[in-house]
Amino acid sequence: MGGSNVWDAEWEVNEEQARILIGRQFPQLSSKQVKRLGWGWDNTVFLIGDEYVFRFPRRRIAVGSIRMEGKLLPKLETYMTIPYPKPLFFGEASDEYPAPFLGYAYMPGDFPIGLTEERRALSAETLARFLRRLHEFPVQAALKCGVPQDHRNLTDIASRKVKMEDFLTKVVEHLSPEEFDVIEAYISSLQKDRVEAVNALLHGDLHFKNMLVNENGIVSGIIDWGDLSVGHPACDLSVAYSFLPPYARGVFFETYGGADEETKLLARLIAVYIPILILMQAIDDGNEAIAVEAKSNIMRALSD
């Protein structure tokens, strides 16, 4: 699968380059150790000392997101009910590196990988309150900060269904026959082509790789806001299906303030769609732990 995947980097930044770039623009950090924490589709992430995290875009498409985060994330502070990384350092593009980059206070926590269903259920109200407040942020204020509006055409179920059928053929050998049958049956059961558009400010990429949990397994941080957008709240509400066990969804939606059947239909679809993409990347990276977690997210989303 190598070579031309959507997550392949256009620029790679290593630890030494990050140390030089950060030290030039922020001399007060130049004596601190730099350690690469990981990377996603759009950014490479470094830990600076034990206090800060810096994100460097890996692809041109991520540059606009970094700029937008720098403008909007500070404005979200009064809306946030879960800790999130507020930008503190605003790095500029230079001859050495062609993109802006951001630095934030380090947020402690672990990715929610391998949690029991009981532990997951403990975060139902926490996640619902967080999303209720985020989705109350004024859409016009977000658009003024350059947040894109429905750039992924979230409400178009028909085209997402076609893509999922294609993805399924790529991961088939990494699924058990039972897993494959359940996913295939779900995709073919999708009869609706589109849902009505609704606009809210979205995190836009709310899944286990962008969430942190504390030692009790309760969500303690939401990270990676590069997919901030205005669109259908179902995009974020998908976490009720991918992350929470079925018995915790009632209290989630009650705390959030309700959701109609169309919203729930779309939320479940995205809760399958995103982990399939994560599974594809995990297979490409040879990351077994992420692959196993992605599969469990898919199967949880398809459980009632």
Side-chain angles (χ1 to χ4, degrees):
M1 278 174 62
S4 59
N5 297 310
V6 289
W7 51 81
D8 289 339
E10 291 166 38
W11 314 300
E12 286 290 10
V13 179
N14 62 30
E15 290 176 355
E16 180 59 15
Q17 288 168 311
R19 191 183 64 74
I20 292 167
L21 290 167
I22 293 165
R24 282 214 179 113
Q25 296 196 35
F26 310 105
Q28 68 272 39
L29 304 180
S30 58
S31 63
K32 295 189 182 294
Q33 190 179 3
V34 174
K35 179 186 168 197
R36 190 173 77 160
L37 282 182
W39 66 94
W41 288 23
D42 294 336
N43 301 283
T44 307
V45 184
F46 297 90
L47 181 64
I48 314 304
D50 53 10
E51 304 139 276
Y52 304 109
V53 167
F54 272 73
R55 288 169 69 228
F56 287 83
R58 302 172 75 226
R59 309 189 298 147
R60 280 182 186 81
I61 200 167
V63 170
S65 297
I66 283 278
R67 288 209 177 97
M68 171 188 67
E69 279 186 63
K71 284 185 193 162
L72 184 64
L73 286 181
K75 297 180 193 292
L76 290 183
E77 194 164 18
T78 56
Y79 287 80
M80 287 295 102
T81 61
I82 296 178
Y84 78 111
K86 199 171 85 171
L88 302 172
F89 301 97
F90 299 80
E92 297 292 335
S94 63
D95 291 342
E96 287 86 9
Y97 177 70
F101 54 95
L102 291 177
Y104 319 75
Y106 172 69
M107 293 178 60
D110 297 304
F111 292 125
I113 293 175
L115 292 182
T116 64
E117 300 301 280
E118 291 73 25
R119 289 268 163 131
R120 291 167 179 280
L122 297 174
S123 292
E125 291 179 58
T126 304
L127 284 167
R129 275 195 301 272
F130 159 72
L131 288 176
R132 186 176 70 203
R133 285 294 286 143
L134 175 64
H135 294 169
E136 285 169 356
F137 187 86
V139 164
Q140 287 309 318
L143 295 173
K144 274 185 189 156
C145 289
V147 174
Q149 184 158 8
D150 199 27
H151 62 306
R152 286 169 296 169
N153 208 359
L154 290 170
T155 55
D156 183 355
I157 292 175
S159 70
R160 209 160 281 258
K161 181 177 172 178
V162 171
K163 285 180 189 165
M164 281 168 71
E165 284 164 345
D166 177 49
F167 297 160
L168 196 54
T169 65
K170 292 178 176 162
V171 298
V172 59
E173 65 206 60
H174 299 271
L175 298 169
S176 70
E178 184 198 2
E179 287 167 338
F180 178 84
D181 289 347
V182 168
I183 299 167
E184 189 180 45
Y186 167 70
I187 295 172
S188 58
S189 76
L190 290 165
Q191 298 303 316
K192 218 174 182 63
D193 284 344
R194 176 173 284 282
V195 299
E196 203 66 40
V198 183
N199 283 324
L201 176 65
L202 308 174
H203 174 278
D205 199 22
L206 197 55
H207 54 73
F208 69 92
K209 287 178 75 182
N210 290 335
M211 297 160 70
L212 299 173
V213 293
N214 63 21
E215 63 280 3
N216 299 316
I218 295 170
V219 175
S220 60
I222 303 293
I223 60 171
D224 196 346
W225 292 72
D227 280 298
L228 273 164
S229 55
V230 167
H232 202 296
C235 179
D236 289 347
L237 296 173
S238 63
V239 75
Y241 294 92
S242 59
F243 184 79
L244 295 176
Y247 66 83
R249 290 171 193 156
V251 72
F252 172 91
F253 283 113
E254 200 178 304
T255 306
Y256 176 77
D260 61 25
E261 289 312 306
E262 272 201 350
T263 297
K264 289 179 177 177
L265 174 90
L266 184 56
R268 193 192 294 266
L269 169 61
I270 293 168
V272 176
Y273 185 90
I274 291 176
I276 289 182
L277 279 173
I278 294 171
L279 175 59
M280 286 165 63
Q281 187 181 10
I283 292 164
D284 197 52
D285 290 343
N287 191 324
E288 182 62 21
I290 296 290
V292 168
E293 184 66 27
K295 282 194 279 187
S296 80
N297 274 238
I298 296 165
M299 301 315 287
R300 186 179 300 106
L302 294 178
S303 303
D304 281 316

